[in-house]
Amino acid sequence: MTAMTLPRLTPTEAKRLAEAGARLIDIRGRDEFARSRVPGAVNRPIDELGPLEDDAPVVFLCRSGMRTAGNAARLADCCTGKAYILEGGIDAWKAAGLPVEEDNGQPLELMRQVQIAAGSLVLAGVALGFGASPLFFGLAAFVGAGLIVAGATGWCGMARLLAAMPWNRQAA
């Protein structure tokens, strides 16, 4: 099966297929899955996903459908049977009024924590740079440089720091 032929299903079609025995495989990270998931879905993060053992049909899903669509060729290569993508991901599943298990006691996804922290530091650096001392513009520049390094190398120091925080040990 190739990425060009990996069919997309609506949430209602995916639910019907799952009720008939298809497996729902959520390719998001463990932290995202711990916070919100489709009932019955199994978490197999995309970076850990390998060949699936049986020929049962599989419906792959993520939050918005972008990760599954962007990795369609890799997902298709994992399957010996039929494979599908949930169009619109869990967001579409929720919008269709289908059940979602949520655990708001779990920490926010690590990437969202990085976005909040980086945005807050840049905003604080700019505000303090205008209001207190131009030296604070260096804080915004430092965070911006860190984001560039993270994007270029895949290594994010802020993510590593946040992952070690006590509130993130719950999802691990």
Side-chain angles (χ1 to χ4, degrees):
M1 185 176 293
T2 66
M4 300 299 276
T5 62
L6 202 59
R8 296 169 189 253
L9 300 176
T10 67
T12 305
E13 293 168 332
K15 184 177 188 299
R16 199 172 308 128
L17 198 59
E19 289 169 346
R23 296 189 304 168
L24 298 173
I25 298 183
D26 191 325
I27 66 165
R28 297 174 303 146
R30 295 189 193 292
D31 56 346
E32 293 175 274
F33 185 80
R35 193 162 169 89
S36 174
R37 65 204 150 275
V38 170
V42 175
N43 185 223
R44 299 278 304 267
I46 189 68
D47 56 344
E48 299 173 18
L49 190 61
L52 300 174
E53 303 296 322
D54 59 38
D55 290 338
V58 175
V59 179
F60 291 103
L61 58 121
C62 63
R63 185 184 59 79
S64 68
M66 296 294 290
R67 269 179 276 191
T68 52
N71 289 285
R74 182 173 178 193
L75 298 175
D77 288 343
C78 292
C79 301
T80 55
K82 292 184 177 181
Y84 305 89
I85 291 176
L86 174 60
E87 181 72 37
I90 293 174
D91 291 346
W93 185 276
K94 285 182 190 177
L98 298 174
V100 174
E101 296 173 351
E102 296 198 35
D103 182 355
N104 292 328
Q106 294 291 328
L108 287 175
E109 299 88 40
L110 191 56
M111 190 50 56
R112 287 182 60 194
Q113 291 181 47
V114 168
Q115 292 166 339
I116 290 167
S120 297
L121 288 170
V122 167
L123 184 61
V126 170
L128 290 169
F130 281 119
S133 167
L135 294 175
F136 282 105
F137 287 122
L139 175 61
F142 178 74
V143 173
L147 292 172
I148 291 169
V149 168
T153 66
W155 184 87
C156 180
M158 187 179 294
R160 287 185 179 250
L161 177 66
L162 288 169
M165 292 293 120
W167 61 82
N168 283 322
R169 294 189 189 137
Q170 191 173 357

